[in-house]
Amino acid sequence: MVTRRNFIINTSMATATVCLIPSFAFSSNKKTIGLQLYTLRDELPKDVKGTLEKVAQAGYTEVELYGFSIKDQFWGLSPQELKQLLDTNGLRAVSGHYGLGTYLFDGNTTELEAAIKAAKVLESEYITVPWLDETLRKSDDDYIEIALLLNKAGEICKESGLKLAYHNHDFEFKKYGDTTAYEILLKETDRDLVYFEMDLYWMTYSKIDPIEMFKQNQGRFTMWHVKDMDKNNEALNAEIGSGRIDFKSIFAEAKGSGMKHFFVEQETNYKPNEIQSIKTSYEFIAKELI
């Protein structure tokens, strides 16, 4: 199976919410629940139209994109073509994960500018940095430099009417003295230019309490990734509500965190299949969390 890390690295090489208010939904009988489309990475590139139809049928009204490259755009579709498919299915691409590898390596803005152009066509709000290559993050000084680059990218995005966000994994919680890489990024980035997309699974995996992080950095986590942790194996995901993460207590603190949008994501351990898994997660969230 293609991992997020390998996918992002390969893409970079190739190219060198919710406010918890029902009125945000596209129709009166749907709640605003988002899906990170990487969840469906095995079938989406083979049938974008059919897969997006299934996403909408499962109840989702927002999505977060992945997979953009300058050469192939979105799985062979232009942003305009993808926007039409999303509109047809009542889906809004609030955010996209864009591999800005060259920018983070040397400040070359070619990929960033292409991402901004695509995001504008899609009428997105956020361009989200999904991953940092290992070569970029070997010391605390590296993270300070990354923060400076994120600030610059955030300013460029803001000038275009967009926002820049950063998505975490577990490596950001490596200690550097009495602080962590994540704390460095939070401290060294301008809160008016760089937003954070908190991945609740990776926070839990790293033994970090999301609620404490909300309290220490109020309003900074405008997006969440909502994915559960398997009860028997913490390295695996689970459908929302079937794992070990206490989402009810976390969602109770949504306002303080600053959360405007959230996206279900599942990278592993589908039971019985990907589409059924996203339906199961949607139903739990709609009935139990919002």
Side-chain angles (χ1 to χ4, degrees):
M1 181 178 288
V2 178
T3 64
R4 178 197 300 281
R5 173 185 174 186
N6 288 337
F7 182 88
I8 292 167
I9 291 173
N10 291 339
T11 300
S12 295
M13 290 174 65
T15 62
T17 119
V18 146
C19 284
L20 308 185
I21 302 174
S23 62
F24 278 83
F26 281 88
S27 63
S28 60
N29 63 341
K30 284 188 177 182
K31 295 186 177 182
T32 306
I33 301 175
L35 178 72
Q36 165 51 262
L37 291 177
Y38 185 75
T39 303
L40 304 176
R41 63 200 170 277
D42 292 333
E43 61 179 275
L44 181 64
K46 295 181 287 189
D47 182 11
V48 180
K49 180 177 181 292
T51 303
L52 291 179
E53 288 174 355
K54 293 175 183 177
V55 170
Q57 289 165 5
Y60 293 90
T61 57
E62 295 185 342
V63 296
E64 183 171 52
L65 302 172
Y66 80 98
F68 175 81
S69 74
I70 293 175
K71 179 182 177 182
D72 297 321
Q73 303 290 286
F74 292 98
W75 318 288
L77 297 177
S78 69
Q80 290 84 353
E81 291 169 328
L82 179 58
K83 179 68 165 62
Q84 186 174 3
L85 284 178
L86 291 168
D87 287 348
T88 297
N89 288 285
L91 297 170
R92 180 183 175 218
V94 175
S95 172
H97 278 196
Y98 293 89
L100 306 181
T102 55
Y103 172 75
L104 294 173
F105 269 110
D106 59 16
N108 185 311
T109 60
T110 301
E111 285 183 305
L112 176 59
E113 291 167 359
I116 289 172
K117 184 178 179 180
K120 291 291 288 182
V121 171
L122 291 159
E123 299 182 9
S124 298
E125 290 181 41
Y126 294 89
I127 286 177
T128 302
V129 178
W131 170 267
L132 294 177
D133 188 84
E134 292 182 49
T135 60
L136 295 172
R137 47 181 170 86
K138 295 182 177 180
S139 69
D140 53 348
D141 286 337
D142 286 344
Y143 280 99
I144 292 174
E145 179 62 27
I146 289 167
L148 291 173
L149 286 167
L150 292 176
N151 282 334
K152 292 177 182 177
E155 188 170 2
I156 294 171
C157 287
K158 187 174 183 178
E159 290 171 353
S160 298
L162 295 164
K163 299 173 184 176
L164 184 82
Y166 181 88
H167 167 270
N168 70 279
H169 287 80
D170 60 333
F171 58 78
E172 290 92 347
F173 299 101
K174 178 180 178 180
K175 279 281 190 177
Y176 293 97
D178 59 355
T179 190
T180 66
Y182 200 60
E183 289 169 326
I184 292 172
L185 292 176
L186 283 163
K187 179 181 178 182
E188 299 295 332
T189 53
D190 185 332
R191 67 182 298 127
D192 293 326
L193 297 175
V194 180
Y195 302 82
F196 284 78
E197 178 177 63
M198 181 182 285
D199 190 303
L200 297 171
Y201 166 82
W202 285 116
M203 298 291 287
T204 303
Y205 184 87
S206 303
K207 308 299 188 291
I208 303 296
D209 183 353
I211 295 173
E212 283 302 311
M213 190 66 70
F214 298 159
K215 292 177 180 178
Q216 295 166 15
N217 302 274
Q218 289 192 10
R220 296 211 68 180
F221 306 100
T222 55
M223 295 186 291
W224 295 352
H225 269 193
V226 179
K227 59 190 183 205
D228 216 335
M229 179 181 287
D230 186 87
K231 289 182 178 179
N232 299 314
N233 184 347
E234 66 178 14
L236 297 178
N237 298 155
E239 286 75 18
I240 309 304
S242 69
R244 65 174 75 177
I245 298 179
D246 179 9
F247 287 110
K248 289 187 178 181
S249 64
I250 295 172
F251 270 78
E253 303 299 327
K255 183 177 180 180
S257 80
M259 189 266 278
K260 305 296 183 185
H261 308 277
F262 68 86
F263 306 98
V264 170
E265 184 181 38
Q266 190 164 337
E267 297 183 63
T268 59
N269 205 28
Y270 298 103
K271 295 179 290 188
N273 59 51
E274 296 171 356
I275 297 300
Q276 184 56 51
S277 286
I278 67 169
K279 289 180 179 178
T280 299
S281 291
Y282 175 93
E283 289 167 2
F284 179 85
I285 293 170
K287 292 178 181 178
E288 302 293 337
L289 298 181
I290 61 174

